[in-house]
Amino acid sequence: METVTKKACETHVYRALDEVTAETAAFPIMETLNKAEELSTTCDYCPQAAIYVVSNMQSPPIS
Ligand SMILES: [Zn+2]
């Protein structure tokens, strides 16, 4: 299955969930970033720091 991973801030996490669901037809998994990742990761929808990673896999590869 294709892996879809989206990073989102508090405001855009529901949009990310919607998009992962639409793109994969699978139930999305939402995980929170740890502090170090949070500081270096930007939301896919705005310039804010991302807080959540939404994907269609149990352990998304975050690098
Ligand atoms: Zn955002």
Side-chain angles (χ1 to χ4, degrees), residues 6 8 12-24 26-31 45 52-55:
K6 293 184 187 297
H12 294 113
V13 64
Y14 295 107
R15 184 165 160 182
L17 286 166
D18 277 353
E19 288 190 6
V20 171
T21 306
E23 287 173 26
T24 66
F27 194 77
I29 293 145
M30 186 172 84
E31 293 181 317
Y45 308 98
Y52 301 103
V53 173
V54 180
S55 74

Side-chain angles (χ1 to χ4, degrees), residues 7-13 43-49:
K7 300 168 287 290
C9 68
E10 190 95 57
T11 307
H12 294 113
V13 64
C43 174
D44 284 353
Y45 308 98
C46 75
Q48 288 196 68

